Amino acid sequence: MSATRVLVLNSGSSSVKYQLLDMADSTRLAMGLVERIGEETSRLKHTPLTGGGEREHTGPIADHEAALKAVAEELAADGLGLDSPELAAIGHRVVHGGLKFTEPTVIDDAVLAEIERLVPVAPLHNPANITGIRTAQALRPDLPQVAVFDTAFHTTMPESAARYAMDVATADAHRVRRYGFHGTSHAYVSRATAKLLGKAPEDVNVIVLHLGNGASASAVRGGRCVDTSMGLTPLEGLVMGTRSGDMDPAVIFHLARVGGLSIDEIDTLLNKKSGLIGLCGDNDMREIRRRIDEGDEEARLAFDIYIHRLKKYIGAYYAVLGTVDAIAFTAGVGENAAPVREAAVAGLEELGLAVDGDLNAVRGDEPRLISPEYARVKVAVVPTDEELEIATQTYALAGKNS
């Protein structure tokens, strides 16, 4: 029996998202989420996709080891246990791979040490990713464990895009540069957009707009990222749910010197209390649109600031690419918020961009064009699938040899 299954793990500081896929035909077998790990109110939600209904359990789950053991029990109850000979590999989402990891990598002690060395530039994410890896290794030490890095897709950026204009020695000493994030999504969506256009990825220039609670844009030329909006951390770039995005760095000095805020307080302010929630008190685009419809001017201003930043990046990446074949909207807001897509493109007709109102209003789970036939640049909605991307890369590297 050939091993064709891949378990995808996305370990956060207090959560584990997972999916089990069969790469023989890219079908999902099960998916779920463990959240509030370490609390009395921990919750595991498990959905078998081969029959049977969703199951939910609440109660204390002490740590990531206990969480993964609970996941293994749920999978085993569906006949999909981690001890199955059909399991080829475990793929891990790792947020920061620096410059060293430019592609999926089989994890060994040296790789794990390097991921740990990058903790200072990803203090919120890499430690949780490491915990997930070590726990999975303990459960199945015989299986290939593969790290798929959020930053990898963006390592093709030229130095002119990746470098900040600061003292080179200082930047290099502290690994300060633009790395970019959401890379698995940008990779998947840029390829899926090319397929939607009936072209090969190397023949297409795409601007990808990944708009969720976290948001990022990328300029993809012929399948390779040449610029992206997030930088050293996921704070740079677009207006997000709770993150400020682009801001004069001197704001930090001002808040410290004049406002008396500590570095930690400023960090919390810009990452968790800014963006849409800082502007209007809501970071859910549905709620913001509801408030706008009721005449709420605070929500309207927040929306306008969000769109203004988005348009700036569309224009900037149009200039970087020179020619653009398509703009692709993806992730929670990008896939579901028609008013965002319409507003982002409005007024850009001279750039060959337009949205058809009727097509834009249609909801669906499949990639689709929402631009009129005459539009020189196609506008697409392309649902992202980061788990499938991680599973595909993991299986390509480790699975076929198992």
Side-chain angles (χ1 to χ4, degrees):
M1 181 184 295
S2 62
T4 58
R5 294 176 184 171
V6 173
L7 177 65
V8 175
L9 295 177
N10 181 354
S11 300
S13 58
S14 61
S15 67
V16 175
K17 295 179 183 177
Y18 63 93
Q19 286 196 18
L20 181 67
L21 300 95
D22 190 332
M23 300 314 295
D25 52 8
S26 298
T27 57
R28 284 171 177 75
L29 303 176
M31 60 191 296
L33 168 67
V34 187
E35 56 186 346
R36 298 194 290 272
I37 294 172
E39 300 180 19
E40 292 296 314
T41 57
S42 305
R43 182 176 72 161
L44 190 160
K45 183 183 292 186
H46 176 82
T47 305
L49 302 175
T50 54
E54 180 180 277
R55 302 193 293 270
E56 186 172 318
H57 306 281
T58 57
I61 296 177
D63 50 30
H64 282 71
E65 180 179 1
L68 277 186
K69 286 181 178 178
V71 169
E73 289 175 5
E74 292 300 319
L75 290 169
D78 299 320
L80 304 169
L82 297 191
D83 58 350
S84 169
E86 295 178 67
L87 188 61
I90 299 177
H92 297 266
R93 179 199 181 208
V94 179
V95 167
H96 216 308
L99 293 180
K100 186 176 181 66
F101 298 113
T102 62
E103 55 190 20
T105 304
V106 174
I107 300 167
D108 57 20
D109 289 344
V111 170
L112 201 53
E114 182 64 20
I115 295 172
E116 197 156 18
R117 196 176 73 84
L118 289 163
V119 165
V121 290
L124 299 178
H125 298 95
N126 274 31
N129 302 154
I130 291 166
T131 299
I133 290 168
R134 286 181 171 149
T135 303
Q137 285 178 326
L139 286 175
R140 282 298 304 267
D142 57 311
L143 272 188
Q145 311 267 339
V146 175
V148 178
F149 299 91
D150 266 18
T151 49
F153 183 64
H154 304 303
T155 58
T156 56
M157 284 192 294
E159 286 293 280
S160 57
R163 283 274 184 184
Y164 290 113
M166 63 179 289
D167 174 69
V168 172
T170 303
D172 288 349
H174 301 287
R175 300 193 294 278
V176 176
R177 61 186 288 119
R178 300 180 62 248
Y179 294 99
F181 299 90
H182 295 148
T184 51
S185 177
H186 287 278
Y188 177 86
V189 171
S190 59
R191 285 202 313 273
T193 303
K195 183 178 180 180
L196 182 64
L197 300 183
K199 297 182 179 181
E202 56 268 25
D203 296 329
V204 175
N205 289 355
V206 184
I207 297 172
V208 178
L209 303 172
H210 177 109
L211 308 179
N213 193 49
S216 60
S218 67
V220 183
R221 176 185 292 127
R224 293 166 62 87
C225 178
V226 294
D227 206 348
T228 193
S229 59
M230 287 178 167
L232 173 72
T233 76
L235 182 59
E236 188 180 0
L238 302 174
V239 175
M240 304 178 223
T242 67
R243 298 178 205 149
S244 64
D246 290 343
M247 181 177 286
D248 180 352
V251 169
I252 295 170
F253 314 143
H254 178 80
L255 291 174
R257 292 169 181 158
V258 178
L261 275 68
S262 69
I263 291 297
D264 287 344
E265 287 172 328
I266 296 171
D267 191 323
T268 299
L269 172 69
L270 298 184
N271 276 291
K272 297 181 179 179
K273 298 181 179 179
S274 295
L276 292 171
I277 206 164
L279 289 167
C280 70
D282 273 308
N283 63 328
D284 188 321
M285 188 58 72
R286 293 166 296 187
E287 182 64 16
I288 290 170
R289 291 301 311 177
R290 184 193 66 76
R291 288 171 56 184
I292 290 171
D293 291 342
E294 293 178 354
D296 189 318
E297 289 303 316
E298 191 178 59
R300 165 58 66 183
L301 179 59
F303 182 82
D304 289 347
I305 293 170
Y306 182 95
I307 295 298
H308 180 76
R309 185 81 56 81
L310 193 52
K311 279 190 176 183
K312 284 175 67 174
Y313 269 92
I314 292 172
Y317 287 170
Y318 205 119
V320 166
L321 291 170
T323 59
V324 177
D325 296 288
I327 291 179
F329 288 89
T330 194
V333 175
E335 293 170 27
N336 297 299
V340 169
R341 299 190 296 260
E342 180 182 11
V345 172
L348 302 182
E349 290 81 9
E350 289 296 318
L351 297 179
L353 287 159
V355 163
D356 180 288
D358 291 337
L359 294 176
N360 190 35
V362 174
R363 299 176 69 92
D365 297 326
E366 297 298 321
R368 60 195 185 277
L369 295 177
I370 60 171
S371 48
E373 288 190 14
Y374 64 79
R376 191 169 73 250
V377 178
K378 302 303 180 185
V379 181
V381 179
V382 181
T384 192
D385 198 333
E386 294 175 88
E387 288 77 15
L388 177 58
E389 180 70 14
I390 292 170
T392 300
Q393 293 189 26
T394 296
Y395 187 63
L397 181 63
K400 291 181 181 178
N401 298 320
S402 61

